[in-house]
Amino acid sequence: MITYLPENHLKVIAQVEARMGDRLLGREEKSHYHQFKVKGQDAKDLIRFLRDEPSLGFAMFIDITAVDYLKYPVAQPERFAVVYTLLSPELGVKAQVKAFVPDGDPRLPSITDLFAGANWTEREVWDLYGIEFMGHPDLKRILMPDDYEGHPLRKDYPLKGRGERGNFPVYHASTQRPKGEG
Amino acid sequence: MTGSTNDWTTTTLNTAINWARANSLWPMPFGTACCGIEMMATFMAKYDASRFGSEVMKFSPRQSDLLIVSGRISLKMMPVLQRIWEQMPEPKWCISMGACASSGGVFDTYTLIQGVDQFIPVDAYMPGCPPRPEAFLDALMMVQEKAKKGQAKSQEYVTSDGASDPAKSVAFRTPDTHYRHGVDRSTPQHAHHPVAAEAAGNPPRHPAADHAAPQAKT
């Protein structure tokens, strides 16, 4: 069982700030963890540091998700943000890395070589947001059908789709009997 | 030729066969969500659907004649459901259990089918979210009444597209040719956008056009 030790947050903040310097866009205190905001190209460096630094030891990968700030009222550095959550069993704290990715051709280096568990979650982010992870071993859709077009969790995607849900063969299409029957 | 012995024999035989079918409806459960739990409760000891001759829960469509769609059906699950419906032998009946299967329920989104009756014939609609087991038994008895009359929704209609077209029917797809990379987007089945669908010779279907209001009357 992992004990939550909030006093270790300061240790994490000091280490990350010393490492990233002015590449750190900002940090935010959440309820049980701290969130570090970086640019997309710096995210993997920071995650590798969090994992490999002996005094930190963020050895457990929790989750990857993404945010689309297209219609967000507060201005953000970029349109997309990919959010990585990590846990340090030694320190008993979580840390989040928020990597901002520009619109147009959103790309990030994959972290599957650091954490094997990131494989499917990166596929999910690719499927629903269209953010490409460079170096992923098998980047294909995981939730939507393979031949689906578009990335449905983007804010500019219509809520009711583009007619996909009405496009199947119909098994009771007509009450007209063909000629020669009954 | 009226009143002959043959007529009397065949009508009586039909009545006997329909009675036997109605009292041995073997369900093919298709539980995808919370309604599936209520369906399980119906088949357990307290509500005991075995009293209606439906105790044989067949998880193979080839030995069942009552499809129970209980739960929301997504874009990715609809071909599977249609395939199961095609594999069931005639005569067959279908119960649409709960709000999601009947109309999409509260999930009016890009990935949820807005009522399975748009694509497969449905004999009885069950309101509720989720319906209680009593509602399930009511629907089961409605289907029994239809079966005793020799009626089935699947026989009221003629399939004009889909089942008879190898390019579109799920029966002609195998697991190897279904969801696969590099799918042929020229077939109407993969033309998702309405404009692309028209270009491929498959006018987009408007569900409201030929879709009558759901009625559980038999």
Side-chain angles (χ1 to χ4, degrees):
Chain A
M1 181 177 164
I2 296 169
T3 317
Y4 173 57
L5 302 168
E7 63 271 18
N8 284 333
H9 277 306
L10 296 172
K11 199 184 291 184
V12 178
I13 293 164
Q15 289 263 32
V16 170
E17 283 182 341
R19 164 84 182 191
M20 300 301 286
D22 54 357
R23 287 190 296 163
L24 193 66
L25 300 180
R27 64 174 173 82
E28 202 175 318
E29 187 178 353
K30 303 285 187 180
S31 57
H32 281 78
Y33 53 90
H34 271 266
Q35 187 181 73
F36 302 101
K37 299 177 181 178
V38 292
K39 286 182 179 167
Q41 61 264 30
D42 301 329
K44 189 166 181 176
D45 186 29
L46 177 56
I47 290 166
R48 184 182 279 119
F49 171 72
L50 289 171
R51 190 192 71 158
D52 293 341
E53 173 65 31
S55 61
L56 296 178
F58 281 88
M60 187 172 173
F61 164 81
I62 303 282
D63 194 20
I64 297 179
T65 183
V67 194
D68 185 356
Y69 285 115
L70 183 68
K71 298 174 183 175
Y72 199 65
V74 184
Q76 297 288 329
E78 302 284 2
R79 176 179 167 181
F80 293 108
V82 179
V83 182
Y84 303 85
T85 311
L86 306 171
L87 171 75
S88 168
E90 295 174 28
L91 299 184
V93 294
K94 280 184 189 174
Q96 256 188 5
V97 177
K98 187 184 251 187
F100 286 98
V101 196
D103 193 7
D105 191 13
R107 289 185 173 193
L108 269 180
S110 167
I111 63 159
T112 44
D113 50 343
L114 302 178
F115 296 104
N119 189 317
W120 281 16
T121 47
E122 284 184 356
R123 277 174 61 187
E124 188 185 0
V125 171
W126 154 251
D127 188 356
L128 299 175
Y129 288 92
I131 295 168
E132 197 175 345
F133 289 91
M134 311 306 290
H136 189 284
D138 184 23
L139 194 66
K140 61 184 185 191
R141 290 186 181 273
I142 186 169
L143 291 174
M144 305 306 291
D146 276 346
D147 52 347
Y148 197 80
E149 288 167 15
H151 302 286
L153 283 194
R154 288 188 173 192
K155 293 292 180 191
D156 53 4
Y157 193 89
L159 173 68
K160 297 179 184 181
R162 297 171 178 155
E164 298 94 342
R165 69 187 188 186
N167 193 11
F168 289 97
V170 182
Y171 283 82
H172 51 306
S174 149
T175 53
Q176 292 270 307
R177 291 210 170 273
K179 286 177 182 174
E181 276 193 39
Chain B
M1 187 79 185
T2 54
S4 76
T5 316
N6 282 341
D7 274 0
W8 182 86
T9 314
T10 45
T11 52
T12 313
L13 193 60
N14 271 339
T15 308
I17 289 172
N18 288 336
W19 177 87
R21 279 174 180 162
N23 287 292
S24 64
L25 285 170
W26 287 5
M28 163 80 210
F30 198 84
T32 59
C34 4
C35 282
I37 307 292
E38 297 293 320
M39 180 176 65
M40 296 172 210
T42 316
F43 286 94
M44 286 171 74
K46 184 169 179 180
Y47 293 95
D48 195 19
S50 303
R51 294 173 294 157
F52 303 89
S54 296
E55 69 263 59
V56 190
M57 295 271 276
K58 278 295 173 189
F59 289 91
S60 159
R62 298 178 211 288
Q63 279 83 32
S64 53
D65 46 15
L66 171 65
L67 177 65
I68 303 160
V69 186
S70 53
R72 56 191 111 86
I73 300 300
S74 70
L75 212 63
K76 215 168 171 176
M77 191 55 89
M78 192 69 204
V80 180
L81 180 67
Q82 286 185 322
R83 197 174 167 136
I84 285 174
W85 175 253
E86 282 184 330
Q87 287 173 342
M88 285 169 62
E90 293 271 3
K92 54 193 174 184
W93 294 268
C94 175
I95 291 178
S96 169
M97 179 172 185
C100 295
S102 304
S103 69
V106 297
F107 303 105
D108 193 1
T109 60
Y110 58 92
T111 188
L112 254 290
I113 301 297
Q114 301 297 296
V116 295
D117 54 350
Q118 292 177 26
F119 305 112
I120 61 172
V122 172
D123 289 279
Y125 298 85
M126 214 184 306
C129 181
R132 284 187 58 94
E134 290 93 334
F136 187 102
L137 294 180
D138 191 31
L140 190 63
M141 288 193 282
M142 281 179 176
V143 173
Q144 282 188 315
E145 290 303 314
K146 286 185 89 162
K148 281 173 188 167
K149 295 176 196 162
Q151 299 171 341
K153 191 85 170 179
S154 61
Q155 293 167 345
E156 292 174 22
Y157 293 92
V158 178
T159 309
S160 70
D161 68 335
S164 53
D165 184 358
K168 294 177 73 176
S169 172
V170 288
F172 295 94
R173 289 184 229 151
T174 67
D176 302 330
T177 59
H178 202 15
Y179 301 126
R180 184 206 259 180
H181 278 297
V183 285
D184 181 14
R185 289 173 191 271
S186 63
T187 56
Q189 179 212 329
H190 298 302
H192 289 308
H193 201 277
V195 177
E198 277 178 1
N202 178 32
R205 201 172 155 276
H206 298 291
D210 56 347
H211 176 50
Q215 288 181 345
K217 292 177 183 174
T218 53

